[in-house]
Amino acid sequence: QKEVEQNSGPLSVPEGAIASLNCTYSDRVSQSFFWYRQYSGKSPELIMSIYSNGDKEDGRFTAQLNKASQYVSLLIRDSQPSDSATYLCAVRINSGGSNYKLTFGKGTLLTVNP
Amino acid sequence: DTEVTQTPKHLVMGMTNKKSLKCEQHMGHRAMYWYKQKAKKPPELMFVYSYEKLSINESVPSRFSPECPNSSLLNLHLHALQPEDSALYLCASSQGLAGGLAKNIQYFGAGTRLSVL
């Protein structure tokens, strides 16, 4: 079973702090990794995608990938109350032949306190 | 524009009803997906279509019947559902299924919240 693991939280940080969200995956050959943000009652919204080892920055968000450790993380700098949501880590996994699918972690609930 | 449009937004149906969910995208994407999401759980993949052909069926009960009439449209036909099928049904699309990494990015619609009475 190819799995994606996340701490379910809740993770609570004060406004302005750095929020750190972590994810590990079991399929060593995975190549594509995604972070989605999901507000309560809404659909997932893509925040970051990362394919290469190292860091990728986009505004206040930084994704970090370490394929050797099978670990991907998301840092949110200067956290805002509007960042309060569930963050889903997703890994693209080969499901046989040329078929691929996203496998999601259970999500980490982030609360940013004013 | 990364818009995936789902209708209806909300649906209430009885266990003997037949209804359909609709999903549309005009981004030229050739892969489309149906997911089911229960409260406080991650999305669960149901079906994947690639170039209008069913590519993945995650052992979904036959009371759910997908259809891809053309490259922009994806339907999910519902019949004789059970109360436990109540959930948020999400449609997503991506440029492709295999190949280049940027093509894998899935964009989600707003979802249809389904209640089965």
Side-chain angles (χ1 to χ4, degrees):
Chain A
Q1 182 77 10
K2 298 171 182 175
E3 294 187 348
V4 178
E5 301 282 344
Q6 291 182 254
N7 288 330
S8 59
L11 174 64
S12 184
V13 300
E15 185 174 355
I18 296 175
S20 177
L21 304 160
N22 304 315
C23 173
T24 59
Y25 59 95
S26 63
D27 186 9
R28 188 169 290 278
V29 301
S30 294
Q31 296 291 320
S32 305
F33 307 87
F34 307 90
W35 284 99
Y36 285 86
R37 177 177 65 197
Q38 188 171 26
Y39 293 112
S40 181
K42 302 295 185 182
S43 63
E45 173 192 9
L46 182 72
I47 297 296
M48 294 286 284
S49 59
I50 187 166
Y51 315 115
S52 304
N53 277 329
D55 294 359
K56 178 182 178 183
E57 187 174 319
D58 183 1
R60 296 187 294 111
F61 299 96
T62 299
Q64 299 174 317
L65 176 60
N66 183 325
K67 290 184 182 178
S69 301
Q70 295 176 238
Y71 175 90
V72 59
S73 65
L74 179 70
L75 300 178
I76 307 175
R77 289 181 300 283
D78 189 23
S79 296
Q80 302 296 308
S82 58
D83 295 325
S84 299
T86 295
Y87 288 80
L88 296 162
C89 172
V91 179
R92 184 172 176 258
I93 289 172
N94 184 277
S95 59
S98 59
N99 288 328
Y100 292 82
K101 64 181 184 180
L102 281 187
T103 295
F104 286 88
K106 292 183 178 179
T108 298
L109 177 62
L110 171 67
T111 300
V112 180
N113 300 305
Chain B
D1 181 13
T2 56
E3 188 167 346
V4 177
T5 304
Q6 288 187 245
T7 54
K9 292 193 187 325
H10 301 275
L11 179 62
V12 179
M13 61 186 291
M15 289 189 284
T16 57
N17 291 158
K18 286 186 183 180
K19 297 284 185 184
S20 297
L21 309 185
K22 180 180 169 182
C23 174
E24 204 162 359
Q25 55 87 16
H26 296 288
M27 297 179 278
H29 289 180
R30 302 313 298 268
M32 297 185 77
Y33 311 77
W34 280 116
Y35 289 86
K36 173 183 177 180
Q37 188 176 26
K38 303 281 274 186
K40 299 190 188 304
K41 300 288 187 184
E44 292 176 37
L45 183 65
M46 300 174 72
F47 303 103
V48 180
Y49 274 82
S50 176
Y51 290 83
E52 295 101 73
K53 287 186 169 43
L54 184 63
S55 180
I56 298 177
N57 177 341
E58 293 284 271
S59 303
V60 179
S62 60
R63 58 186 183 268
F64 296 91
S65 175
E67 179 197 19
C68 190
N70 59 58
S71 60
S72 300
L73 190 56
L74 184 67
N75 297 320
L76 186 63
H77 302 299
L78 314 172
H79 174 52
L81 294 194
Q82 303 297 308
E84 60 264 29
D85 296 321
S86 299
L88 180 67
Y89 287 84
L90 294 162
C91 174
S93 71
S94 64
Q95 285 187 46
L97 198 58
L101 300 173
K103 294 182 180 179
N104 313 149
I105 296 175
Q106 291 187 26
Y107 298 96
F108 284 84
T112 293
R113 188 160 299 282
L114 174 67
S115 297
V116 182
L117 304 179

